[in-house]
């Protein structure tokens, strides 16, 4: 029997006990692995798609398993790949010397409460940003295709062909990823450095097949906007600043990368900040309208909610009760954090209330911004650390004002506490940002497979709590084993072996710069100006052209993100555009009643193959992660699969480029050589007419 995934009459079990148990186990394992690898070897993996495949493989042994149950497992487990972003900020409390370890209950409550807020804050955004939006949600679409094809593979020619496309893409990406990230015989990036006067810049190349697939799904507008951001950074600011700041010994690639990390990225953060504010302003009307409809559906009867289950969020009572529990948890953890310092009761409660309120206010803003960014380019490439920088700045300024009014800066301990308080507040915001970044992607997957939103929201709440359980023990294990830069648990430990935790180091440095009055605001303000210009250009384009836009958030991300991550996204988006134009031109030449479905069939094949590219790299990432964890914990090296030495790096780079070109050409070939299936076209036509 073939399921109609968009039918509102679909009554299959979704939120099952076995599914939630499986999702919790996957979440615990993947969260621990992500935290461990993110701090130890700088490697993390997206858990949503691997969780979906593991779920399908295990639940297939049960006769009554279905696509909706598998979707719930991946929804819950996706928290593992995102909540681990707390490592971007929380180790800063040890670097400051304020914490000597990670208290379980404080760490658990920060992650669980922040993650759960990320779920609640995206409920009113669902209708505006998922249902009534044309955002591509590349990973959400990829997960949906995998779930749909996997649920009835082999039943029809359409599903059989779809599975072939996904498996083919997965095999190509998996082999390339294994050779690049495991055996190291293929490079994952190359950079060509060019002199510009006394300065320098680079032509970056990245070879991630998963990002190539994501780029194929995001569309040309986002690809062009990211390209504009890359050019602003690497054809504008980097060569200018390296010329202006050139040392006597000449500019090196290391110096140029330092300029980008310490100065140009702050321009990107400023651009992201102002673009996020503008995006939220433009979404206010649809968000309010969506909230009204959501509130109406929340207060409807059980029968009405079941009748419209595919467009029903958690009930008002459930949302308010969950929010009340979260609020109590935040107050308790903030009070526990603040009460450890000998300050007056009045100041203590002021900091608790302000900390909770600021975390909530900033949290809702970043939920909208991160959800939009995830919809624009995907969860994996979304710059959570950029949002963390902005949250660190805002939290620090708020605490700075309170601290200065209450004479906390009179002692060094007071400055340390104020800095720690700002980092603690930001930790809640990061947890909110990471889950909201993921939740809308999951809701898009659910929309495409016919899931019930309120059940997905419950699944992700459970995932946030399950993931939060694993974070404190793993962080403590890593701290005791290796220490962090500037924070060693024992005096005899080797500081060179300490974990660098670069994002946490950066955000801690920013907070210290604000409290020490040494923060350089110029680059952030320049970024704000760049963001305003991008907004104006986008408004002009929208008012004068029918289809061309320049999403300002994507421009900011182009400046902020590492360029080797952005190049595959750009290449994939341009490939998709030109392939699409070719298919339309070919269809016009063929004409005929069903010519448009020829284009749809070919485009669907491209989506499936691109989804396979994301699947293959994600699965190999999980496998390599497990191998590295086993190797490191048993005293082995951090690259146990590596077959070549550093002298092979240049050759590996060129081989990686050839493999990347092969993957792109193979994708194009599979799309343009697709044979027209008249039976499938007639079925597609019937489905569209039924939908109307």
């Amino acid at each position: 029997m073939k399921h109609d995934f968009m039918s509102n009459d679909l009554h299959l079990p979704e939120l099952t006990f076995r599914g939630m148990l499986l999702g919790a186990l996957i979440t615990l394992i993947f969260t621990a692995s992500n935290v461990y690898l993110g701090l130890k070897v700088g490697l993390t993996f997206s858990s949503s798609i691997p969780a979906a495949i593991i779920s399908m493989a295990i639940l297939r042994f049960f006769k009554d398993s279905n696509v909706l149950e598998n979707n719930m497992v991946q929804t819950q487990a996706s928290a593992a790949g995102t909540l681990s972003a707390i490592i971007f900020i929380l180790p800063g409390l040890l670097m400051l010397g304020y914490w000597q370890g990670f208290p379980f209950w404080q760490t658990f409550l920060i992650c669980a409460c922040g993650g759960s807020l990320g779920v609640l804050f995206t409920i009113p955004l669902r209708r505006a940003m998922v249902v009534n939006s044309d955002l591509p949600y590349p990973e959400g679409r990829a997960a949906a295709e995998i779930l749909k094809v996997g649920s009835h593979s082999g039943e029809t020619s359409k599903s059989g062909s779809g599975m072939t496309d996904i498996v083919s893409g997965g095999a190509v990406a998996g082999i390339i990823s294994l050779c690049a990230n495991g055996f190291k015989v293929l490079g994952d990036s190359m950079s060509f450095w060019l002199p510009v006067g006394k300065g320098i810049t680079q032509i970056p190349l990245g070879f991630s097949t998963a990002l190539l697939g994501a780029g194929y799904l995001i569309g040309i507008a986002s690809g062009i906007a990211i390209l504009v951001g890359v050019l602003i950074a690497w054809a504008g600011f980097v060569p200018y600043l390296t010329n202006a700041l050139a040392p006597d010994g000449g500019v090196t690639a290391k110096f140029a990368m330092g300029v980008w990390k310490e100065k140009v990225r702050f321009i990107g953060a400023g651009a992201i900040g102002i673009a996020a504010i503008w995006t939220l302003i433009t979404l206010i009307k649809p968000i309010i309208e969506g909230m009204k409809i959501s509130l109406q559906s929340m207060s409807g009867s059980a029968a009405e909610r079941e009748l419209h289950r595919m467009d029903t969020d958690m009930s008002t009572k459930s949302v308010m009760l969950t929010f009340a529990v979260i609020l109590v948890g935040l107050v308790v953890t903030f009070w526990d954090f603040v009460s450890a310092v000998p300050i007056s009761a009045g100041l203590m409660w002021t900091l608790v209330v302000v900390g909770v309120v600021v975390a909530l206010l900033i949290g809702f803003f970043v939920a909208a911004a991160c959800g939009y960014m995830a919809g624009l380019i995907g969860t994996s490439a979304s710059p959570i650390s950029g949002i963390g920088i902005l949250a660190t700045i805002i939290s620090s300024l708020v605490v700075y004002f309170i601290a200065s009014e209450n004479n906390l800066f009179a002692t060094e301990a007071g400055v340390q506490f104020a800095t720690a308080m700002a980092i603690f507040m930001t930790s809640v915001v990061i947890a909110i940002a990471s889950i909201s970044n993921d939740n809308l992607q999951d809701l898009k997957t659910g929309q495409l497979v016919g899931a019930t939103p309120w059940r997905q929201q419950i699944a992700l709440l459970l995932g946030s709590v399950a993931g939060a359980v694993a974070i404190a023990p793993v962080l403590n294990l890593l701290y005791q084993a290796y220490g962090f830069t500037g924070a060693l648990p024992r005096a005899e430990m080797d500081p060179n072996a300490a974990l660098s935790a670069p994002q946490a180091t950066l955000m801690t440095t920013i907070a210290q710069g604000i409290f020490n009055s040494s923060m350089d605001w110029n680059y952030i303000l320049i970024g704000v100006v760049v963001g305003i210009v991008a907004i104006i250009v986008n408004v002009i384009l929208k008012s004068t052209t029918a289809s061309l836009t320049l999403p300002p958030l994507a421009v900011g991300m182009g400046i902020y993100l590492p360029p080797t991550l952005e190049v595959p996204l750009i290449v994939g988006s341009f490939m998709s555009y030109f392939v699409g134009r070719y298919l339309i031109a070919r269809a016009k030449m063929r004409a005929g009643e069903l010519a448009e479905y020829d284009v749809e069939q070919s485009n669907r094949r491209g989506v499936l193959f691109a989804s396979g590219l994301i699947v293959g790299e994600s699965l190999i990432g999980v496998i390599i992660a497990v191998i590295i964890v086993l190797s490191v914990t048993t005293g082995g090296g951090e690259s146990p699969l590596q077959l070549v030495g550093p002298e092979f790096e240049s050759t590996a780079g060129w081989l990686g480029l050839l493999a990347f070109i092969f993957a792109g050409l193979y994708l194009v070939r599979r799309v343009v050589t697709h044979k027209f299936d008249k039976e499938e076209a007639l079925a597609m036509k019937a489905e569209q007419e039924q939908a109307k």
Side-chain angles (χ1 to χ4, degrees), residues 193 202 234 238 242 252-262 563:
W193 291 92
Q202 68 166 320
W234 293 96
V238 170
T242 51
T252 62
K254 183 178 180 181
F255 176 80
M257 288 302 297
V259 167
W260 173 73
K261 289 178 181 178
E262 298 167 12

Side-chain angles (χ1 to χ4, degrees), residues 543-583:
S543 62
T544 57
T545 63
S547 58
L548 185 59
T549 61
L550 192 76
L553 258 176
V555 175
M557 287 187 278
I559 300 171
Y560 180 84
L561 288 171
T564 52
L565 292 183
E566 297 170 313
V567 169
L569 287 169
I570 296 167
V571 172
S573 69
F574 275 82
M575 280 174 49
S576 176
Y577 174 76
F578 286 112
V579 167
R581 300 291 294 180
Y582 168 79
L583 293 174

Side-chain angles (χ1 to χ4, degrees), residues 184-192 205 207 642 644-658:
K184 307 292 185 181
V185 295
L186 298 180
D188 58 5
S189 63
M190 289 177 70
S191 292
F192 298 94
L205 297 174
F207 308 141
Q642 186 168 345
V644 296
E647 69 280 356
F648 195 75
E649 182 177 353
S650 177
T651 304
W654 288 106
L655 291 175
L657 175 60
L658 290 175

